[in-house]
Amino acid sequence: MELIERYLQAVGFWLPKTQKQDILAELSEDIRSEVEDKESALDRKLTDAEVENILKSRGSPIMVANRYLPQQHLIGPVLFPIYRLVLKMAFLFYAIPWLAVWLCISSYIPSYHAQTPGDFIVGALHGLWVVVLYTFASVTFGFAVLEKYALKSGFLEKWNPRNLPSLRAANRIKRSNSITEIVALVVTCIWWVSFMLSPVMVNRPDVRIVLAPAWRYYSWWIVALIAVTIATSFLNLLRPYWTRFRAGMRLATDSIGWGMFAWLCKTNIVAEIAVRNVSPEKTLQITNAINFWMGRSFPIIVVIGIAIALMDIYRIFRVKTGPNSCLGGLASICGMSASL
Amino acid sequence: MKNSIKTDDGAGIYENLRLELRRGCLIVAVLAQLKTERYGYTLRKALADDGLEIDESTLYPLLRRLETQGLLASEWREEDKRNKRFYKLSPEGRKILKQLLEEWRSINASLERILHEE
């Protein structure tokens, strides 16, 4: 019978003090009744192995005790889907941008430079781990407080079907977006053609800034790209749904535009700066510094360009497969706008 | 096929649904059995004899919950030289049992009609 006492002691460990004795007394009585029943059926004392089987059939002590404990949770089933969504959003819009900013800082600011690639990876992982941990902890804490105090106020019951978001149409293009695009591009185009075609940016008696000859090619390419984008935006205004052709055109213009910008960064674009009362050595230093930092910006421009191209590719995929694909579902979870 | 269920998952789903179906029925059965005063072990045996096996780790927490809700009354008493806790349906429990049985009969009748239509 020592086995039974040990079993009861193990169950009792997990029970709340206020109910412990009461529960154990009843459990003990039940086990002993079962043992007695079996002994009278067999007409002999049970062996240790048989008692062991009886206890095993009742389940492990922690499981048995758990049945008596109130069901507890930090975040319950009502709030859990919202909690999960907020966590995803927090990681997407906080942790990932943080990582991108950290990578930029550690690449460009000498005091943050790592001595070895190993140090760089360890530093990045350590920083990311802290950010992820704080994000997770603060979101969880917030929802735990909501679960404990705010859920009882019934705030989730206060809703109106009229306030629900309008139906999503993933491939629809908002007319207001197209109009804004056209106006902005026309203004930019006029400004560009009026002031930006010549490599001589500033030519005043006191200041002269001249860009490299490569600027001529670049500026005309920009005019061409703006013209194509205006045409596409007009089509979008008339037929406000993405088609594969127009989505493909947007991919092409974005890729060419960002590709050329990246190329521009590498061409030592500032050829000459002359300022009255400033020594040529000083202006040369400024020219070199601008060209140097333009060159250092190359990876950032490439990354931004790739990100935009990926969104454009995703749009083509979405047009092809329809808004109900799994990626469409992912986009809606991530809160991505239909007008991307 | 997209909507097909693997055999293992099917068994798991069946088990979950079976437990869900049993849960409510067990409460009614326990309340009905406790029209007569019993202690835990004899209650379990009586249920098993009538075809409703229930393990002790389900029964005792259930008895406690029903007592906390005021549907059962209990008292410790000595029987056969051992202290045992005897449970009995309270007046409130009797009223609730009557309502639950009406509901159960109504569900049963609806199910019978639905199954008959099939």
Side-chain angles (χ1 to χ4, degrees), chain A residues 211-289:
Chain A
L211 301 183
W215 179 258
R216 264 188 206 286
Y217 303 108
Y218 179 76
S219 59
W220 278 110
W221 266 104
I222 291 296
V223 173
L225 285 176
I226 291 176
V228 172
T229 313
I230 290 173
T232 318
S233 299
F234 259 116
L235 274 175
N236 288 347
L237 183 64
L238 297 174
R239 295 180 178 175
Y241 285 90
W242 285 108
T243 60
R244 283 178 70 183
F245 172 73
R246 276 179 279 151
M249 284 296 288
R250 182 56 62 92
L251 170 65
T253 52
D254 283 346
S255 303
I256 293 170
W258 284 94
M260 291 200 59
F261 190 21
W263 166 74
L264 194 71
C265 290
K266 289 292 214 183
T267 52
N268 290 332
I269 193 65
V270 183
E272 180 198 338
I273 296 178
V275 183
R276 189 190 289 165
N277 300 331
V278 178
S279 68
E281 290 79 20
K282 189 77 182 165
T283 53
L284 185 63
Q285 265 185 354
I286 296 169
T287 305
N288 289 340

Side-chain angles (χ1 to χ4, degrees), chain A residues 175-190 226 229-238 250:
Chain A
R175 284 208 156 93
S176 58
N177 285 5
S178 298
I179 292 169
T180 312
E181 251 176 33
I182 291 166
V183 171
L185 286 168
V186 167
V187 170
T188 308
C189 193
I190 292 168
I226 291 176
T229 313
I230 290 173
T232 318
S233 299
F234 259 116
L235 274 175
N236 288 347
L237 183 64
L238 297 174
R250 182 56 62 92

Side-chain angles (χ1 to χ4, degrees), chain B residues 52-109:
Chain B
L52 263 179
E53 295 274 357
I54 179 170
D55 60 61
E56 55 291 329
S57 60
T58 302
L59 178 65
Y60 289 107
L62 173 63
L63 289 172
R64 281 175 178 272
R65 205 173 72 234
L66 293 174
E67 191 184 12
T68 310
Q69 289 167 342
L71 307 186
L72 298 179
S74 77
E75 67 167 338
W76 283 97
R77 231 177 27 236
E78 197 178 293
E79 192 187 83
D80 299 332
K81 295 180 185 171
R82 277 223 309 268
N83 259 335
K84 291 171 183 173
R85 186 177 201 163
F86 287 84
Y87 293 91
K88 195 180 177 187
L89 206 57
S90 69
E92 178 65 15
R94 207 168 281 276
K95 209 166 74 185
I96 295 283
L97 175 62
K98 198 178 160 207
Q99 290 170 341
L100 286 176
L101 284 172
E102 277 168 21
E103 181 62 21
W104 177 74
R105 284 189 185 110
S106 152
I107 292 170
N108 211 23

